[in-house]
Structures are given as C-alpha cells and as structure tokens.
Amino acid sequence: MRPDYNRRMTNTVGTAQARRSGILVTGGAGYIGSHTVLQLRERGERVVVLDDLSTGFRQAVLDTPLVLGDVADTALVTRVLREHDVDTVLHFAAALSVPESVRDPLKYYGNNTAGTRALLAACTAHGVSQFVFSSTAAVYGIPDGGRAGEDHPTRPINPYGRSKLVTEWMLRDVEAATGATGTLPLRHVALRYFNVAGAEGSGRIGQSRRDAFHLVHVAAEHVVGQRDHVAIFGTDYPTPDGTAVRDYLHVEDLARAHLDALDYLRRGGESTTLNVGYGHGYSVREVLAAVARAAGQPLTLREGPRRAGDPPELVSEASAIRRVLGWQPQRDDLDLIVRSAIDWERKLPGLGWR
Ligand code: UFG
C-alpha cells in the first residue's frame, strides 16, 4: 500500500499524526536560510530555527522561534525535534567558502559532513521523514563545456564541494536503510545551488558577513565605500573575456525552490537531486559592469591571479527543477539581482546587525 506521506510515523511508537508537523530550519539565521524562513512564515508554516549564530544574525529570523546551538549537538536537536513535532528538516547550516575550504579542509569535513551526519542520526531516531539539503554546484568540479546537468559526473575540485557530496551520499544511504526497517523512509531533495546573490525586496533581510567573499557581495560593499577596490581573481581563463563564468541566481528564487521541494515531498515525491540555477552564465567582468550600472558609478578594479579551487566556468543545466518541482523563477535578471544587493548594503548600517 502506498504510504501517506502527510502523516508521520515514529520509529519507536509508529503513531500517525494528522495535523501538519513542524519544520526545523538549520542555519535559518543565515543568508539563504533566513530568506526561506520568511517565505515559509508568509504562507503560514510552523517553523523553528536552529542556528549557532557563528555567521548568522538573530535579527534575520524576525519573530520566528530561534534555538541557539549546533546541529551536531544530538541531545539539543532531539529535544527540538520532539518539542516542535518536526517531520521536515531544511538543512542550511554549513561553512560555505571555497577558498577557506582549501585552507582549512577539516573545518568543512567537520561542520558540513560530520555535522550533517550527527543531524541525520537525530532525525532518523525521531522519525523525520522529509529532508531538504543545501548542496552545491561545486560537486561538479570542472564540467565539460562549463555546463552541468544533474547526471554529469561529480568530480569536486575543492574540499567544500567534497564535503557536500559526501552528504548527498549519506542521504541516499540513510533513505535506503530507513525504508528497509519498516518505517517511512527519510526522503530528501538535495538542491545543488549555483551562485546566489541579492536580497529580498522589502529590505528586512539580506546578506551580511564580517568577511564577505562572494563577488556580488564584495562589489556591493565597494559601492557603499567599505572597500577601496574589487579584485578580479584571474583574467587568463579560457572564457570569452578571460574571467570566470558563473550562473548567478536571485536569493528569493532560490528560497522559493525550497518551498517547492517541500511541497513535492509532501505530495509523496521520490528523493531527488536538482540543480538550482537559471541556465546562463556571466563573467566576473560582466557582473562588475552590471554593478557599476546599478550603482551609477565606476568601480575601482584590480586584476590579480586566479583564486585556488575556482573552476573557469560553472553554469547549470536548468530544466529538471522546473519539470520535477514546478519551480518558476521570477527574478532571472542580473541587473535586478545586483541592484537588490546594493540597496541592501546601503540599508544595512542603520539596522545594527554587526
Ligand atoms: N571573484 C572575484 N573577486 C572577488 C570574489 C570573487 O574575482 O572579490 C570571482 C571568483 O574568483 C569566482 C567568481 O568571482 O571566479 C565567483 O566567486 P564567488 O566567491 O562569488 O562564488 P563561487 O563561485 O566561488 O562559489 C559560489 C558558492 C558555492 C557554489 C558555487 C557554485 O559559494 O557554494 O558558487 O558556482 F558552489
């Protein structure tokens, strides 16, 4: 008989529950997590955030319940899952800098791989049945022709990508094992993000780090006078203008993909792994030209050597997520993306986040 996936069965008791259960969002005080929490709350979902605030901000969750702590703290996670009657986990909490992962790989295998392993142990013990995982396009490494579909071989070239790929493998293995024990399997959607940027339109939340390193974020900080220049890492790539090409994606469209993944799992959808990108790329120089246009001022640029761990070109094959989840991006517009990042950066000093 086909199981009813809107009901939850616990490993220990096996009771089914009719009312819609809670959603745990790890890393919900971070950049992408907080945008997703906002959209979940706007449609009336019951959400609890778990975040250690190592890079996130308390203000970013607005009035959503926030539990301070680490995903690897099994006792804490178990308590949160029980108290909030959680059947779905959206797992954003992670370290996410490619260059840092090259310098400090064990931080990445610790936070991302071992941390998720501990979280999954708590989830399976509690009977969580749906899991949405923040994976990354970095699992592909250097794809042939610069484009990657979901069936492209995964050959990550940096520890960040490898730390996330191991988690994709864990999720598949855990599903097989939980399904075999007679309980509902832990089904998942792994979303392989391409390059997220921008901020939501109301000006309440956006990206903030003391150590910004993403291109659009760095350029936005330069526009508001927090940096005296923007470095271009590598001008000798085999790309049309010699700088690296990426698939830039508005954070609100990325957040929406998580809601679509949740709805898909609630409909009983099978576990799947999907790219989240628009399917077209821009070079570093093209992005910086868009930032200068949006700012209405020229940027001070400094050309430098390539950054370790960077592929020349990484663009999404983007059709599967539309077909499988029904995802319909609304903000596929580089000018809009960088404008929203600059608007947010201008607003940030008045908000007291740092
Ligand atoms: N870059 C610069 N100057 C900067 C910052 C970045 O030239 O000051 C360049 C980088 O070298 C790279 C490109 O801009 O060529 C994009 O770099 P980002 O740091 O903005 O993003 P990454 O492509 O390194 O990584 C991001 C996410 C990963 C994800 C990846 C997928 O952080 O999680 O996109 O493409 F895997």
Side-chain angles (χ1 to χ4, degrees), residues 1-9 16-18 87 129-130 184-185 187 265-268:
M1 197 180 79
R2 187 179 168 75
D4 176 355
Y5 287 109
N6 287 318
R7 289 165 177 265
R8 178 163 74 83
M9 206 182 280
Q17 301 187 2
D87 77 338
S129 58
Q130 303 173 145
L184 288 183
R187 288 172 305 123
L265 288 170
R266 282 180 175 160
R267 290 194 299 273

Side-chain angles (χ1 to χ4, degrees), residues 32 121 140 150 186 241 250 264 305 317 328-329:
I32 305 166
Y140 293 118
E150 289 82 353
L186 176 56
D241 67 16
H250 196 293
Y264 167 85
E317 287 290 352
Q328 291 182 332

Side-chain angles (χ1 to χ4, degrees), residues 105-123:
L106 293 182
K107 174 174 176 183
Y108 283 70
Y109 290 113
N111 282 6
N112 297 359
T113 313
T116 308
R117 187 234 159 253
L119 174 66
L120 284 171
C123 288

Side-chain angles (χ1 to χ4, degrees), residues 147-166:
R147 296 184 77 85
E150 289 82 353
D151 55 357
H152 192 280
T154 44
R155 293 185 287 238
I157 60 168
N158 49 57
Y160 171 67
R162 284 188 277 272
S163 73
K164 291 277 187 170
L165 183 58
V166 175

Side-chain angles (χ1 to χ4, degrees), residues 42-65:
E42 278 171 357
R43 73 171 205 191
E45 299 283 354
R46 206 154 60 75
V47 178
V48 57
V49 169
L50 174 66
D51 201 299
D52 65 4
L53 298 184
S54 57
T55 56
F57 293 86
R58 187 182 293 276
Q59 296 93 327
V61 306
L62 305 174
D63 63 349
T64 307

Side-chain angles (χ1 to χ4, degrees), residues 218-274:
V218 166
E221 286 193 348
H222 172 58
V223 167
V224 303
Q226 281 187 25
R227 297 171 178 260
D228 60 7
H229 72 280
V230 182
I232 299 180
F233 297 138
T235 53
D236 60 348
Y237 283 108
T239 57
D241 67 16
T243 64
V245 171
R246 298 286 186 277
D247 188 338
Y248 292 89
L249 163 79
H250 196 293
V251 66
E252 288 194 280
D253 280 336
L254 176 57
R256 179 65 215 204
H258 294 78
L259 275 68
D260 292 340
L262 171 65
D263 292 342
Y264 167 85
L265 288 170
R266 282 180 175 160
R267 290 194 299 273
E270 292 175 0
S271 293
T272 187
T273 300
L274 295 164

Side-chain angles (χ1 to χ4, degrees), residues 29 66 73 99 126 142 144 157 180 182 192 194 227 248 304-305:
L66 168 66
D73 182 342
H126 178 75
I142 303 178
D144 305 331
I157 60 168
R192 291 177 175 165
F194 283 68
R227 297 171 178 260
Y248 292 89

Side-chain angles (χ1 to χ4, degrees), residues 4-341:
D4 176 355
Y5 287 109
N6 287 318
R7 289 165 177 265
R8 178 163 74 83
M9 206 182 280
T10 67
N11 282 352
T12 46
V13 198
T15 51
Q17 301 187 2
R19 117 186 141 93
R20 180 160 282 180
S21 300
I23 299 171
L24 170 64
V25 180
T26 75
Y31 172 44
I32 305 166
S34 63
H35 281 81
T36 306
V37 167
L38 187 60
Q39 291 188 15
L40 288 166
R41 299 286 310 285
E42 278 171 357
R43 73 171 205 191
E45 299 283 354
R46 206 154 60 75
V47 178
V48 57
V49 169
L50 174 66
D51 201 299
D52 65 4
L53 298 184
S54 57
T55 56
F57 293 86
R58 187 182 293 276
Q59 296 93 327
V61 306
L62 305 174
D63 63 349
T64 307
L66 168 66
V67 177
L68 268 180
D70 191 327
V71 296
D73 182 342
T74 305
L76 174 68
V77 173
T78 302
R79 183 166 58 75
V80 172
L81 294 175
R82 195 177 53 240
E83 285 178 1
H84 293 265
D85 187 25
V86 170
D87 77 338
T88 301
V89 173
L90 273 54
H91 179 38
F92 295 90
L96 46 73
S97 160
V98 169
E100 185 188 49
S101 80
V102 175
R103 289 193 303 273
D104 188 1
L106 293 182
K107 174 174 176 183
Y108 283 70
Y109 290 113
N111 282 6
N112 297 359
T113 313
T116 308
R117 187 234 159 253
L119 174 66
L120 284 171
C123 288
T124 54
H126 178 75
V128 169
S129 58
Q130 303 173 145
F131 198 95
V132 181
F133 172 57
S134 302
S135 189
T136 169
V139 299
Y140 293 118
I142 303 178
D144 305 331
R147 296 184 77 85
E150 289 82 353
D151 55 357
H152 192 280
T154 44
R155 293 185 287 238
I157 60 168
N158 49 57
Y160 171 67
R162 284 188 277 272
S163 73
K164 291 277 187 170
L165 183 58
V166 175
T167 304
E168 289 190 9
W169 294 339
M170 277 197 287
L171 283 167
R172 287 175 210 155
D173 291 340
V174 166
E175 177 177 17
T178 49
T181 58
T183 55
L184 288 183
L186 176 56
R187 288 172 305 123
H188 66 271
V189 175
L191 296 174
R192 291 177 175 165
Y193 307 165
F194 283 68
N195 286 58
V196 59
E200 57 91 30
S202 74
R204 281 176 292 173
I205 58 173
Q207 188 169 27
S208 181
R209 288 184 73 99
R210 291 161 199 99
D211 59 339
F213 54 87
H214 286 118
L215 179 63
V216 174
H217 191 190
V218 166
E221 286 193 348
H222 172 58
V223 167
V224 303
Q226 281 187 25
R227 297 171 178 260
D228 60 7
H229 72 280
V230 182
I232 299 180
F233 297 138
T235 53
D236 60 348
Y237 283 108
T239 57
D241 67 16
T243 64
V245 171
R246 298 286 186 277
D247 188 338
Y248 292 89
L249 163 79
H250 196 293
V251 66
E252 288 194 280
D253 280 336
L254 176 57
R256 179 65 215 204
H258 294 78
L259 275 68
D260 292 340
L262 171 65
D263 292 342
Y264 167 85
L265 288 170
R266 282 180 175 160
R267 290 194 299 273
E270 292 175 0
S271 293
T272 187
T273 300
L274 295 164
N275 288 345
V276 198
Y278 293 142
H280 44 82
Y282 294 97
S283 71
V284 171
R285 286 193 205 282
E286 287 173 321
V287 171
L288 295 175
V291 171
R293 267 198 309 277
Q297 66 189 63
L299 310 184
T300 304
L301 306 177
R302 276 195 208 150
E303 296 184 2
R306 294 183 182 192
R307 194 175 66 176
D310 277 351
E313 184 166 1
L314 193 50
V315 176
S316 173
E317 287 290 352
S319 59
I321 185 168
R322 289 170 167 84
R323 193 177 62 249
V324 176
L325 301 188
W327 183 62
Q328 291 182 332
Q330 306 290 317
R331 292 171 177 76
D332 177 0
D333 177 342
L334 183 62
D335 289 308
L336 172 70
I337 292 171
V338 301
R339 206 178 323 119
S340 73

